[in-house]
Amino acid sequence: MAIEVGSIVEGVVTGITNFGAFVELPEGKTGLIHISEVADVYVNDVHDFLRERDQVKAKVLTIDDRGKIGLSIKALQAKPAVPTQPPVAPARPSRPPRDMRRTAAVRQMGSPSFEDKLSRFLKDSDERLTDLRRKTDSKRGGRGSRRG
């Protein structure tokens, strides 16, 4: 039987590392079950799920051009049933997010015109530049000072 992507193969675990398990496949080939493909749950140590000389069934995920075979036990496990209805959120009164409250306040006041927004921006920008100049000038020795 030829090993192809998508086929299910049986093999024997020949070695376990911190990143997965090596499996001896038919025809003397070796495949790797990566630690992320061992189980549906978080796997901290492969030894918790597999032992050397265990007989395993796995699905072939990849075969690269160098002949490396990527296997998955997780792909063969039955997927948990997906609930047909989304979970219902608990009914509790909540405040709207901060930006929505601000938007509501602006609507009540009447939205500022473009000119108002622009003048506020220019004023804030001017204040920031002035503060920056004060801080940097004091570090350089003040305005107009030259190094000799």
Side-chain angles (χ1 to χ4, degrees):
M1 171 178 133
I3 298 174
E4 300 173 352
V5 174
S7 64
I8 297 172
V9 294
E10 284 191 40
V12 178
V13 177
T14 57
I16 296 178
T17 65
N18 59 350
F19 57 85
F22 289 96
V23 178
E24 178 82 26
L25 300 173
E27 302 173 13
K29 296 185 177 182
T30 302
L32 172 69
I33 302 172
H34 190 265
I35 190 170
S36 65
E37 295 295 331
V38 171
D40 277 332
V41 296
Y42 177 75
V43 179
N44 190 33
D45 186 12
V46 180
H47 289 95
D48 296 340
F49 292 87
L50 297 172
R51 302 273 180 250
E52 287 191 28
R53 294 187 297 276
D54 278 354
Q55 187 78 22
V56 294
K57 273 188 176 182
K59 183 175 183 176
V60 179
L61 295 180
T62 59
I63 301 175
D64 71 2
D65 53 349
R66 293 180 293 182
K68 291 185 177 182
I69 302 171
L71 303 171
S72 173
I73 294 174
K74 180 170 76 170
L76 293 179
Q77 296 173 348
K79 303 283 186 245
V82 178
T84 55
Q85 295 179 349
V88 178
R92 65 168 206 184
S94 64
R95 294 175 55 173
R98 170 170 267 175
D99 57 340
M100 290 183 77
R101 290 193 305 257
R102 188 178 311 125
T103 304
V106 168
R107 281 192 197 129
Q108 288 174 354
M109 294 184 333
S111 68
S113 68
F114 175 75
E115 287 79 17
D116 293 337
K117 290 180 183 178
L118 183 62
S119 66
R120 184 180 300 152
F121 170 78
L122 288 173
K123 180 181 173 188
D124 291 345
S125 177
D126 222 16
E127 289 173 358
R128 288 182 184 151
L129 281 173
T130 304
D131 289 342
L132 181 66
R133 282 189 189 117
R134 266 191 225 126
K135 291 176 183 174
T136 56
D137 284 348
S138 66
K139 291 180 182 175
R140 288 189 284 171
R143 274 190 188 266
S145 68
R146 295 192 176 198
R147 295 182 190 185

